[in-house]
């Protein structure tokens, strides 16, 4: 096992990783930016080092600064969390060549899956269904228009290096498509420094179903069931649940097998997520594989009883998985609401500031993953997520009641949050029936009185 692990992240995920390290009796090293001096991850870690100013390019993305902390503290592994450097193949490579274990898959796999055009190509070869679309990135506009006619409008133009729902544009016709390509290219260049885009058929009202994969470094691969992440705003998830209300046992089995096939096709190791779109006729298509721990991993932890972060650490240390597929049984229902410091009344503008009041819900089956505390000042520089509220109950109806009760108990003052918005989602009749898709917010909530 590792002697010491550096956590190259901030906020709730840094706290989550430090907690897992403590339980494994592994000393932890936190890194932080100048505005994060008072952050919870800094308080909880065994050691903490400032790595630069608030701007993440100079701190949480500053590879030389992070590597020097690893060196001076004698850390023999780095957990990157999600976001920041978690899917940066160059960072993983720097770790590999410095003899510091990167807790995640190899740099080659990160690079392969980070290029969605290459990932699609690999999946086609492996016999995994992908959304009909281009086999290469778009260069020839005439050919693209022809192909769009062939697959049928609407189509969606997506960034090859995409993430976080950025660099995506839907086109209803040929005229739209020309514009969509240009806009998506511009957005992709600005967000990822790579203007490469590709095109897929726009699947109407699909569900976003993803499978959690665990793979050790000895070729053993299992999945931990699925999460339904169809409740999205601007292609970003806001509520997640496991299991999906849309999957019958047979389809779950089949999609799970495909997800394992995806991981095996690239000799994947560590935790990862295979994302699919599921259409109304139960056709499913691979859209991407995320090569890191996901924000929504706790819902899977609740229904499987497996600690995904600890598994990541054990796998990276070279240990074999101690369970096989038959050992994995999904029990009950878990839901997660992402509570953001945003004002839902004012177009979700960020609402940073001091937490004058912060009283969290509790009781059975309630879990809060958060990096904040009463009196903490939320800086404006980073992601607006304040806390994840996760609940578990033995069936969906009870889990919904528990979530509603927990949201009602959550008191935050000093900033605006998305708690009232979550209560609206939870009280929507379609959502309660489990009858929803990725356009739910747009179709079922925004038009509501
Ligand atoms: P990112 O990496 O930016 O999150 P994804 O490829 O995972 O991008 O897609 C994010 C979301 O965008 C999906 O969950 C879905 O809601 C929507 N989306 C992506 N591709 C399609 C498609 N071909 N048809 C319909 N919706 C799509």
């Amino acid at each position: 096992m590792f002697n010491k692990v550096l956590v190259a992240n901030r906020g709730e995920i840094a706290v989550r990783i430090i907690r897992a390290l403590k339980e494994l009796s592994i000393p932890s090293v936190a890194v932080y930016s100048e505005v994060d001096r008072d952050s919870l991850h800094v308080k909880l870690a065994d050691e903490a080092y400032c790595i630069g100013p608030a701007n993440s390019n100079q701190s949480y993305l500053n590879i030389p600064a992070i590597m020097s902390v690893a060196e001076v503290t004698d850390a023999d592994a780095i957990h990157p969390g999600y976001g920041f450097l978690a899917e940066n193949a160059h960072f993983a490579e720097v770790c590999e060549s410095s003899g510091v274990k990167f807790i995640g898959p190899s740099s080659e796999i990160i690079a392969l899956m980070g290029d969605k055009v290459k990932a699609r190509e690999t999946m086609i070869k492996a016999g995994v269904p992908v959304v009909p679309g281009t086999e290469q990135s778009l260069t020839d506009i005439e050919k693209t228009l022809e192909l769009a006619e062939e697959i049928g409008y609407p189509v969606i133009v997506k960034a090859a290096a995409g993430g976080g729902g950025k660099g995506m544009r839907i086109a209803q016709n040929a005229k739209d498509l020309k514009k969509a390509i240009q806009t998506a290219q511009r957005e992709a260049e600005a967000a990822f420094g790579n203007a490469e885009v590709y095109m897929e058929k726009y699947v109407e009202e699909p569900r976003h179903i993803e499978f959690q994969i665990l793979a050790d470094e000895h070729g053993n691969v299992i999945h931990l069931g699925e999460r339904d992440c169809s409740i999205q705003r601007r292609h970003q998830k806001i509520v997640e649940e496991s299991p999906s209300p849309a999957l019958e046992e047979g389809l779950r089995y089949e999609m799970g097998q495909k997800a394992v096939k995806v991981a095996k096709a690239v000799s994947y190791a560590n935790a990862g997520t295979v994302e699919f779109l599921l259409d109304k006729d139960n056709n499913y298509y691979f859209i991407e594989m995320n090569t890191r721990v996901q924000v929504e991993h706790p819902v899977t932890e609740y229904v499987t009883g497996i600690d995904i972060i600890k598994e990541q650490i054990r796998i990276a240390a070279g240990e074999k998985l101690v369970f096989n597929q038959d050992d994995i049984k999904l029990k009950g229902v878990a839901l997660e609401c992402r509570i953001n410091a945003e004002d839902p009344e004012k177009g979700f503008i960020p609402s940073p500031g001091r937490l004058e009041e912060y009283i969290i819900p509790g009781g059975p089956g309630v879990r809060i993953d958060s990096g904040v505390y009463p009196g903490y000042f939320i800086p404006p520089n980073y992601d607006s997520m304040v806390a994840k509220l996760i609940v578990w109950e033995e069936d969906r109806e009870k889990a919904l009641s528990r979530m509603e009760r927990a949201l009602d108990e959550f008191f935050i003052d000093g900033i605006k949050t998305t708690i009232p918005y979550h209560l609206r989602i939870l009280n929507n009749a379609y959502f309660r029936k489990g009858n929803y898709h990725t356009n739910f917010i747009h179709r079922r909530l925004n038009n509501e009185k």
Side-chain angles (χ1 to χ4, degrees):
M1 199 23 95
F2 302 117
N3 294 319
K4 204 186 257 185
V5 174
L6 185 152
V7 181
N9 215 299
R10 67 181 299 283
E12 71 88 17
I13 195 63
V15 170
R16 169 74 185 89
I17 298 161
I18 292 164
R19 285 177 173 150
L21 289 168
K22 283 193 182 199
E23 289 176 15
L24 292 171
S25 303
I26 303 170
S28 53
V29 181
V31 291
Y32 61 95
S33 73
E34 283 163 11
V35 286
D36 272 346
R37 228 168 263 288
D38 295 326
S39 287
L40 197 56
H41 76 288
V42 175
K43 294 184 195 296
L44 295 186
D46 296 304
E47 294 172 66
Y49 297 84
C50 183
I51 47 167
N55 183 335
S56 36
N57 280 324
Q58 294 167 298
S59 48
Y60 297 106
L61 295 171
N62 183 343
I63 297 177
I66 293 168
M67 295 314 292
S68 340
V69 174
E71 199 182 329
V72 297
T73 58
D74 250 342
D76 49 358
I78 296 185
H79 198 306
Y82 55 70
F84 296 123
L85 295 168
E87 284 169 296
N88 183 315
H90 170 65
F91 178 60
E93 208 181 299
V94 170
C95 291
E96 283 158 12
S97 60
S98 316
V100 177
K101 182 73 184 187
F102 177 84
I103 302 179
S106 68
S107 56
E108 287 92 25
I109 290 178
I110 297 174
L112 172 66
M113 291 302 185
D115 181 338
K116 292 183 172 184
V117 176
K118 278 206 197 113
R120 267 175 69 87
E121 203 182 297
T122 312
M123 292 313 136
I124 295 168
K125 276 195 200 129
V128 176
V130 300
V131 189
T134 44
E135 270 166 40
Q136 270 142 17
S137 45
L138 307 185
T139 44
D140 184 331
I141 185 81
E142 291 310 319
K143 271 203 194 132
T144 308
L145 289 170
E146 261 169 46
L147 185 68
E149 289 297 337
E150 223 171 89
I151 60 179
Y153 286 97
V155 293
I156 182 168
V157 179
K158 300 169 71 173
K166 292 199 194 92
M168 258 187 254
R169 279 289 175 282
I170 300 159
Q172 302 291 346
N173 50 47
K175 194 168 145 248
D176 268 12
L177 181 55
K178 282 189 192 164
K179 234 172 76 196
I181 295 173
Q182 284 168 355
T183 322
Q185 281 174 332
R186 229 181 301 124
E187 220 176 281
E189 174 67 45
F192 315 110
N194 176 356
E196 213 180 311
V197 295
Y198 64 107
M199 181 177 74
E200 283 178 354
K201 173 147 190 72
Y202 181 69
V203 184
E204 309 253 16
E205 309 199 330
R207 296 184 80 115
H208 173 117
I209 309 279
E210 57 180 37
F211 278 77
Q212 176 68 55
I213 293 290
L214 283 183
D216 65 22
E217 296 181 348
H218 310 276
N220 303 302
V221 185
I222 60 166
H223 72 81
L224 304 184
E226 81 284 3
R227 295 181 284 258
D228 196 317
C229 312
S230 306
I231 305 291
Q232 306 179 349
R233 221 189 124 251
R234 300 197 170 156
H235 306 302
Q236 290 234 52
K237 304 159 187 169
I238 50 180
V239 177
E240 302 95 355
E241 65 179 300
S242 182
S244 166
L247 293 197
E248 299 294 339
E249 215 31 72
L251 188 54
R252 170 172 301 114
Y253 178 80
E254 199 188 313
M255 290 177 77
Q257 295 284 98
K258 277 284 187 300
V260 167
K261 193 170 179 180
V262 167
K264 284 195 169 158
V266 295
S267 304
Y268 197 86
N270 216 283
T273 299
V274 179
E275 298 190 338
F276 296 104
L277 292 182
L278 177 70
D279 73 12
K280 279 177 260 178
D281 303 320
N282 279 353
N283 299 306
Y284 57 89
Y285 311 97
F286 167 88
I287 49 170
E288 66 164 340
M289 181 167 194
N290 288 321
T291 56
R292 52 164 159 87
V293 67
Q294 306 268 107
V295 174
E296 58 273 19
H297 76 275
V299 292
T300 300
E301 296 188 321
Y302 252 147
V303 295
T304 59
I306 291 172
D307 185 317
I308 294 169
I309 304 282
K310 284 185 189 163
E311 290 308 318
Q312 285 192 292
I313 297 166
R314 289 196 189 106
I315 290 168
E319 293 183 12
K320 281 192 179 153
L321 289 179
V322 293
F323 21 71
N324 56 38
Q325 194 63 58
D326 292 341
D327 299 326
I328 309 300
K329 302 268 185 289
L330 305 188
K331 184 164 173 270
V333 171
L335 297 166
E336 173 180 275
C337 289
R338 300 189 188 189
I339 315 290
N340 292 344
E342 292 169 0
D343 188 350
E345 302 272 301
K346 292 195 184 135
F348 295 87
I349 52 161
S351 177
R354 187 156 318 272
L355 286 171
E356 305 294 351
E357 192 171 36
Y358 182 73
I359 303 171
I360 60 170
V366 175
R367 167 174 167 183
I368 302 272
D369 278 20
S370 171
V372 307
Y373 53 85
Y376 174 74
F377 184 89
I378 298 169
N381 314 76
Y382 311 105
D383 189 85
S384 62
M385 196 170 70
V386 187
K388 304 190 303 204
L389 169 57
I390 312 107
V391 302
W392 181 91
E393 251 288 18
E394 55 191 17
D395 64 37
R396 190 166 186 272
E397 197 53 45
K398 289 179 181 162
L400 290 170
S401 303
R402 182 161 280 172
M403 181 57 95
E404 197 171 350
R405 186 271 288 171
L407 283 165
D408 271 333
E409 271 181 33
F410 212 151
F411 292 108
I412 300 185
D413 205 4
I415 60 158
K416 296 281 184 203
T417 76
T418 51
I419 291 174
Y421 196 72
H422 280 295
L423 281 165
R424 273 184 63 202
I425 296 173
L426 221 67
N427 281 304
N428 178 281
Y430 290 98
F431 180 73
R432 292 199 85 86
K433 277 195 231 124
N435 179 7
Y436 59 82
H437 45 70
T438 58
N439 302 91
F440 168 84
I441 297 282
H442 181 65
R443 290 276 307 278
R444 308 280 190 221
L445 211 63
N446 288 349
N447 304 331
E448 203 184 68
K449 286 273 169 283

